[in-house]
Amino acid sequence: MRFLLYIAELHGRFFRSLDGLTANWLPGLLGRLVFLAVLYLYFLNSALTKIGDGIFGFLHVQPSAYFQIAPQAVDAALGDVDAIAFFPYGLMVYAGTYAEFILPALIVIGLFTRVAAIGMIGFVAVQTLVDITIHKVDASTIGALFDRFPDSVIADQRSLWLFVLVILVLKGPGMLSIDGFLARRFMRRRY
């Protein structure tokens, strides 16, 4: 019995030390690196399909963005994107397009990370809602949680995306980020 208590204490001491050494920087850094490796290019490529060509192309949202984000409004306007009212559909299209550029970049560099991660959680929720209700993806694409198939595009993949984003909301970007640098600099000036 003493041996088991010794092992339990050794286990606890080791993992408390490991947590003490890594808690302020590793979870946020890994969350941002996983986001960069898995999702950044996905969202960047999606955003690039919605803007014009050239250096100032980002100032012009393409009609294709309306077809991707608000297809029912396009159908109601008989395919004429110029006939679609700016509020709410045009605003949705512009906000969605620029959110795909700005929010992932903020997460990767670690600036306003928690707010950007909350924004991305909302973005993924809206994206999922649009995929299911408007684009009407099939049941196998949606999948199901707690089944034996871990490869559905909606339920499984997006749950993992949301997990990374929730970790960033709860733990922050870590000390190895612009947020961490600004926090250290601000704290020095206050005291």
Side-chain angles (χ1 to χ4, degrees):
M1 187 61 145
R2 284 176 161 286
F3 178 71
L4 291 177
L5 289 174
Y6 174 74
I7 294 295
E9 185 178 325
L10 188 64
H11 172 273
R13 197 176 320 141
F14 174 77
F15 284 104
R16 279 190 301 276
S17 296
L18 184 63
D19 186 50
L21 291 171
T22 62
N24 289 336
W25 63 276
L26 190 60
L29 177 63
L30 286 178
R32 290 181 17 249
L33 288 175
V34 167
F35 183 88
L36 173 64
V38 175
L39 293 172
Y40 181 73
L41 290 177
Y42 168 81
F43 285 111
L44 179 63
N45 285 328
S46 177
L48 289 172
T49 67
K50 295 176 179 91
I51 62 167
D53 294 326
I55 280 202
F56 295 107
F58 70 93
L59 297 174
H60 178 67
V61 173
Q62 295 285 0
S64 62
Y66 285 85
F67 285 92
Q68 292 177 46
I69 297 173
Q72 289 177 325
V74 174
D75 289 344
L78 303 173
D80 183 11
V81 173
D82 294 329
I84 297 173
F86 182 76
F87 187 80
Y89 298 108
L91 182 62
M92 261 178 18
V93 169
Y94 276 82
T97 299
Y98 292 123
E100 277 187 306
F101 280 110
I102 296 167
L103 296 176
L106 289 175
I107 288 171
V108 169
I109 65 172
L111 179 63
F112 306 120
T113 308
R114 288 180 164 163
V115 173
I118 290 170
M120 286 304 301
I121 289 169
F123 190 94
V124 170
V126 169
Q127 176 187 25
T128 301
L129 183 67
V130 167
D131 285 345
I132 293 171
T133 61
I134 295 174
H135 296 300
K136 302 206 185 294
V137 295
D138 62 12
S140 65
T141 302
I142 296 170
L145 296 175
F146 307 108
D147 63 1
R148 64 188 182 101
F149 304 106
D151 59 351
S152 68
V153 173
I154 304 287
D156 296 324
Q157 283 185 7
R158 295 195 184 160
S159 293
L160 292 172
W161 296 2
L162 292 175
F163 178 76
V164 169
L165 294 167
V166 167
I167 290 297
L168 290 171
V169 169
L170 296 176
K171 293 293 191 178
M175 296 305 288
L176 300 175
S177 65
I178 295 174
D179 286 341
F181 170 77
L182 293 173
R184 287 188 304 275
R185 185 174 176 102
F186 176 71
M187 294 308 280
R188 257 190 257 136
R189 286 190 177 173
R190 267 180 65 186
Y191 297 106

